[in-house]
Amino acid sequence: ERGEESAVAAGPRAEEGEEAVELLAAKLQTWAAANHQVLAGFAACKYSRYGAGALFVYANVGLEDLLAEKHARQFERQCVLVWGTSGENASKPAPPIAWSEMCGRVGQAFSSSLERSVQANCTRETFPLAMVAGRELAPDDVQEALRPPTVPRKSKKGYEGRPGCSLVSVPYGDLAAALRCGLAHAKTDAVDLEMDRVS
């Protein structure tokens, strides 16, 4: 079930009004559904290990290009998945990247919304998904793993996509099944998700 903080746009998109935020959230839900197995599997694995938190999806392109269906494939879009927890849990180990670092470049408004979403939506049924699009918004360790977008040689301006953030609550569907799918990630701190490159 989606909570009241299910969709928030931050950065340049925050000025575009509630309708733009809702459209962005709908596109992100569609994207999450298309990649549900890897997202839910990784989230379930890390929720079990680290406790309540959020799945951060850092992307090497801006929001519009990340969620586009066709035209953005030229940029060779890439995402890095990392689990973050906002509070200390004495019975659980700490994730490899501190919450303050993961939220350090997304702005206070989005960070606060994300913390509220963790409290409301991180359960055995759902997990918060924080989409952070744009290499410049990622913490240093993640930036090193994100390659710059591929830009056509004829382009003289370089990549011009706008960075931004969006937040949605995603259902596991079946937590036990998601956890089984995520066991392959038990010993990894992050997952690299290629959207356009064929391995």
Side-chain angles (χ1 to χ4, degrees), residues 46-108:
K46 300 311 173 185
Y47 172 63
S48 176
R49 176 170 173 76
Y50 297 119
L55 177 62
F56 286 75
V57 180
Y58 295 100
N60 68 337
V61 294
L63 273 172
E64 291 182 358
D65 290 330
L66 179 67
L67 302 177
E69 294 184 4
K70 295 182 180 180
H71 80 271
R73 292 176 181 173
Q74 63 180 324
F75 301 125
E76 296 190 316
R77 296 166 297 178
Q78 174 200 15
C79 298
V80 172
L81 281 53
V82 186
W83 186 260
T85 59
S86 59
E88 294 184 2
N89 187 331
S91 65
K92 300 281 188 179
I97 303 179
W99 182 266
S100 59
E101 293 181 50
M102 299 180 77
C103 294
R105 294 167 179 156
V106 300
Q108 185 59 48

Side-chain angles (χ1 to χ4, degrees), residues 4-157:
E4 61 178 354
E5 296 295 340
S6 61
V8 177
R13 301 201 63 87
E15 303 172 357
E16 297 180 8
E18 185 175 347
E19 184 176 345
V21 172
E22 291 177 354
L23 178 60
L24 183 64
K27 288 184 177 180
L28 182 53
Q29 286 283 6
T30 299
W31 183 92
N35 296 280
H36 186 265
Q37 183 172 341
V38 64
L39 297 176
F42 185 77
C45 178
K46 300 311 173 185
Y47 172 63
S48 176
R49 176 170 173 76
Y50 297 119
L55 177 62
F56 286 75
V57 180
Y58 295 100
N60 68 337
V61 294
L63 273 172
E64 291 182 358
D65 290 330
L66 179 67
L67 302 177
E69 294 184 4
K70 295 182 180 180
H71 80 271
R73 292 176 181 173
Q74 63 180 324
F75 301 125
E76 296 190 316
R77 296 166 297 178
Q78 174 200 15
C79 298
V80 172
L81 281 53
V82 186
W83 186 260
T85 59
S86 59
E88 294 184 2
N89 187 331
S91 65
K92 300 281 188 179
I97 303 179
W99 182 266
S100 59
E101 293 181 50
M102 299 180 77
C103 294
R105 294 167 179 156
V106 300
Q108 185 59 48
F110 185 77
S111 179
S112 296
S113 295
L114 182 52
E115 290 186 17
R116 291 194 295 271
S117 184
V118 170
Q119 294 175 1
N121 299 319
C122 188
T123 68
R124 294 180 63 83
E125 286 76 40
T126 62
F127 62 93
L129 188 157
M131 177 61 73
V132 183
R135 291 179 73 245
E136 58 267 57
L137 299 182
D140 292 343
D141 288 347
V142 177
Q143 277 192 17
E144 293 179 6
L146 285 171
R147 63 176 177 274
T150 300
V151 179
R153 293 182 180 180
K154 62 182 180 181
S155 174
K156 297 181 180 180
K157 296 182 179 180

